Amino acid sequence: MNFDANEPQSKPKFEPLPTAWYAAMAEEARDEEAKSSGKPRTAVTFKVAVRKKDGTFYFRKVFMNYAWHNSEQKSNLRKLVEACGYSAKGSVDPALLVGRNLEVYLTTKIDATGAYPDKNEVSNVRPAPGQAAPPPPPAQANEYDPENPDSIPF
């Protein structure tokens, strides 16, 4: 058998998962600027657990971008933050979302033009059953912590 480096490499084709609730966790989360618009967004990679017919699991990654200027996406980002156990009031470091167990509701986005393959989107989130409350986020450098006299900001 000889490997032909000139032969085009095919990518595996993933069919979208059926619309349903799935166990998941945020595997990666970061704030960034969208390349096309330059507007801020939070990019989240979800690791979704899918049960096979034989009872074993495999994992699928679902990528979501939550644009801050889009009211629906911003609302969904707030739901994600709250499902992870944090308050959606004020600023939240996206790194705090990583590793939190969730349930995600996947739907299928169909590209009417046919230019892009159909893909899953996270349309809703909720805390995983029995999910423990997260540890509190670390105090900001300029916040006073009454438990820590060294935190006085002067």
Side-chain angles (χ1 to χ4, degrees), residues 1 10 62 65 69 84 137 149:
M1 177 182 340
S10 63
V62 176
N65 293 314
H69 66 279
C84 288

Side-chain angles (χ1 to χ4, degrees), residues 88-108:
K89 296 177 183 170
S91 178
V92 176
D93 180 356
L96 294 173
L97 308 178
V98 174
R100 301 295 299 161
N101 292 322
L102 305 162
E103 288 187 344
V104 296
Y105 190 75
L106 296 183
T107 56
T108 301

Side-chain angles (χ1 to χ4, degrees), residues 47-118:
K47 186 176 180 181
V48 178
V50 183
R51 185 185 299 269
K52 295 185 206 177
K53 290 180 182 177
D54 66 4
T56 61
F57 288 90
Y58 69 94
F59 296 97
R60 175 81 64 88
K61 290 187 180 187
V62 176
F63 305 92
M64 287 297 301
N65 293 314
Y66 298 97
W68 298 359
H69 66 279
N70 180 303
S71 60
E72 182 180 350
Q73 290 181 16
K74 197 170 184 178
S75 174
N76 288 340
L77 181 56
R78 281 190 196 104
K79 287 180 191 176
L80 171 59
V81 169
E82 290 170 352
C84 288
Y86 296 102
S87 170
K89 296 177 183 170
S91 178
V92 176
D93 180 356
L96 294 173
L97 308 178
V98 174
R100 301 295 299 161
N101 292 322
L102 305 162
E103 288 187 344
V104 296
Y105 190 75
L106 296 183
T107 56
T108 301
K109 180 178 181 180
I110 298 172
D111 179 33
T113 67
Y116 299 100
D118 297 347

